[in-house]
Amino acid sequence: MVFSLGRSKENDEINNTASIISKPSPVESLKNQVQQELALANATELVNNITDNCFQKCLSNPYSDPQPNCVDQCLNKYLKAWNTVSKTYIARIQDPSTSGEI
Amino acid sequence: MSPSNGKFLDSTELSQLDDSSKNEMVTFLDNETSKQKVQMSIHQFTNTCFRNCVASANSSSLSPQEEQCLANCVNNFLDTKIRVVKGLQHVKE
């Protein structure tokens, strides 16, 4: 390769490739940022809801000994309930006969 | 994550986005907003319906009755919502 101070087409291509690898485009990094923040918001919501529900079901009675596995079981049950609700809701909003009303 | 990996954009970078990138972002944000609305509804329904349908947490799987109750709960909630909207439209007239 010939050394030159000016910008050759070849150098530009190399620079562009390098910039794609080292740094995502502004649009891509903006999209990633939005998706990460949404994921965080959803995780926070889930943690709060599971804590509320499972605290109530497992530990709300101070007179009885807490069941050691209760919170773990409740957590798994909540996640399964989430999936059931999600399936039902999505089936309902995708049903063309009712989706217009919701 | 550190800003150096391109996660955070400063306002000068944002204002330099060209029109096609802006349009791409608008479409992207519209899609993400609709998806997030569905997500938040599922959070809300699960929270309400778990409270009503699951009596105890002495097992880590749902009984068939609990599963049926959750599905009914979601459908009843949506039916109620439709009825409320229709009722309010009637009041307005």
Side-chain angles (χ1 to χ4, degrees):
Chain A
M1 197 164 74
V2 182
F3 176 75
S4 79
L5 287 170
R7 288 162 65 109
S8 72
K9 203 182 167 193
E10 194 182 3
N11 276 339
D12 277 352
E13 271 169 13
I14 291 167
N15 287 339
N16 284 341
T17 314
S19 71
I20 289 167
I21 292 166
S22 64
K23 190 169 177 282
S25 73
V27 174
E28 286 311 310
S29 60
L30 201 52
K31 284 182 181 178
N32 284 337
Q33 190 181 339
V34 169
Q35 277 171 338
Q36 279 179 24
E37 286 180 15
L38 285 173
L40 182 65
N42 280 319
T44 309
E45 182 75 15
L46 197 60
V47 169
N48 289 340
N49 288 343
I50 293 179
T51 306
D52 277 355
N53 276 286
C54 295
F55 179 77
Q56 207 181 21
K57 299 225 186 289
C58 293
L59 301 165
S60 63
N61 185 351
Y63 296 106
S64 64
D65 288 336
Q67 298 293 309
N69 295 326
C70 184
V71 174
D72 290 343
Q73 287 173 339
C74 179
L75 168 70
N76 285 317
K77 216 167 176 174
Y78 194 93
L79 294 176
K80 283 169 187 155
W82 204 94
N83 288 332
T84 303
V85 167
S86 165
K87 256 186 273 170
T88 311
Y89 180 54
I90 287 170
R92 180 79 185 253
I93 55 178
Q94 282 177 344
D95 180 358
S97 66
T98 55
S99 61
E101 293 170 310
I102 295 169
Chain B
M1 291 245 191
S2 67
S4 63
N5 64 7
K7 189 191 165 201
F8 296 108
L9 294 171
D10 57 38
S11 52
T12 52
E13 241 179 315
L14 279 179
S15 62
Q16 280 166 0
L17 287 179
D18 56 25
D19 282 352
S20 77
S21 301
K22 282 180 185 163
N23 285 336
E24 193 183 337
M25 278 314 294
V26 169
T27 314
F28 172 78
L29 288 175
D30 281 347
N31 284 336
E32 293 299 313
T33 307
S34 334
K35 275 197 278 179
Q36 190 54 28
K37 278 185 186 164
V38 173
Q39 287 271 326
M40 287 315 289
S41 298
I42 298 172
H43 280 304
Q44 189 207 339
F45 297 152
T46 310
N47 194 14
T48 308
C49 297
F50 188 85
R51 219 173 281 270
N52 289 330
C53 291
V54 176
S56 68
N58 51 14
S59 142
S60 57
S61 52
L62 294 165
S63 70
Q65 291 92 325
E66 284 169 335
E67 201 138 350
Q68 187 58 53
C69 175
L70 289 167
N72 290 343
C73 175
V74 173
N75 282 318
N76 288 341
F77 190 94
L78 294 172
D79 290 337
T80 308
K81 189 169 178 171
I82 292 167
R83 192 168 271 271
V84 168
V85 171
K86 281 185 178 162
L88 283 175
Q89 280 168 345
H90 194 68
V91 168
K92 215 177 79 181
E93 279 158 11

